[in-house]
Each structure stands twice: as structure tokens, then as C-alpha cells.
Amino acid sequence: MNEINIKAPQLRNMLLSHPHLMENVFMDSEDNLTNTMEVLQTELDLSIEDIKAIQSKALPAILYYPRSELRKRILVYKLDLGYPTEEIKKMVLKDPRM
């Protein structure tokens, strides 16, 4: 709970709403959440406050995205579409599902 900055009632709701996700992705590997957030933090230069904001909006959905897929999506925005990192950061903070 401390690592993902989530309260016990929210965690309980996640377990009840998404048992398969929680069992196979979240609880199966301690590194899944940390590494996903590290990708976002590294690629977009996010602050700790930014990460907490994404977690509060996007858990558990963000765990569905493999880290390699996150990197690919970010690179498409950066290289193929020419968005500056700061603009991608704003879009992700506004709606982490993008």
C-alpha cells in the first residue's frame, strides 16, 4: 500500500473489481508497478507528485500496459508525431489512459 500510495479500502475495491489483474499482474510481480512508473518518470521527466497523480487516476488500468508498449507509445509521440516531451507529459497528466 505504501509503494503505490493507496488506501486499504481502495485496494480492497481493486481486488474485488479486478481479481484476475490483481493476482496475475499486480501481486505476481513486485516490480510491475514500480517499473511502469519508472518508465513514465524516466521518459517524461515526471516528478513524484506527477507519479502520484497518475496513480490516483489510472490504477489499476495503467498496469495493463507492458513497459515496452509504454516506451513505444511515448516514442511515437516524440519521434513520429514530433511532440515535445513537456507536451506529452501534460497530456499524460491530464489523462493517463492516453
Side-chain angles (χ1 to χ4, degrees):
M1 288 185 337
N2 291 335
E3 183 174 333
I4 62 171
N5 191 32
I6 197 166
K7 294 177 175 46
Q10 292 171 309
L11 183 60
R12 184 178 62 247
N13 287 339
M14 289 168 60
L15 284 164
L16 293 172
S17 300
H18 306 281
H20 184 70
L21 171 69
M22 296 298 288
E23 177 185 357
N24 293 326
V25 176
F26 189 66
M27 294 179 157
D28 188 38
S29 173
E30 294 176 8
D31 296 330
N32 280 339
L33 179 65
T34 302
N35 288 338
T36 300
M37 292 301 152
E38 284 175 359
V39 167
L40 291 172
Q41 189 171 23
T42 301
E43 295 291 330
L44 301 177
D45 193 31
L46 299 175
S47 69
I48 297 300
E49 290 79 25
D50 294 336
I51 294 295
K52 287 180 181 181
I54 290 171
Q55 289 174 338
S56 70
K57 292 179 185 175
L59 285 178
I62 200 164
L63 297 175
Y64 282 113
Y65 300 126
R67 291 176 297 280
S68 61
E69 182 65 25
L70 284 174
R71 281 196 175 96
K72 286 179 192 175
R73 288 181 184 206
I74 291 169
L75 286 176
V76 165
Y77 278 93
K78 283 183 178 180
L79 302 177
D80 296 343
L81 300 175
Y83 281 85
T85 300
E86 193 60 36
E87 191 64 31
I88 301 168
K89 180 178 174 178
K90 287 178 188 177
M91 290 189 300
V92 169
L93 289 172
K94 184 174 181 177
D95 186 359
R97 297 171 296 167
M98 62 92 31

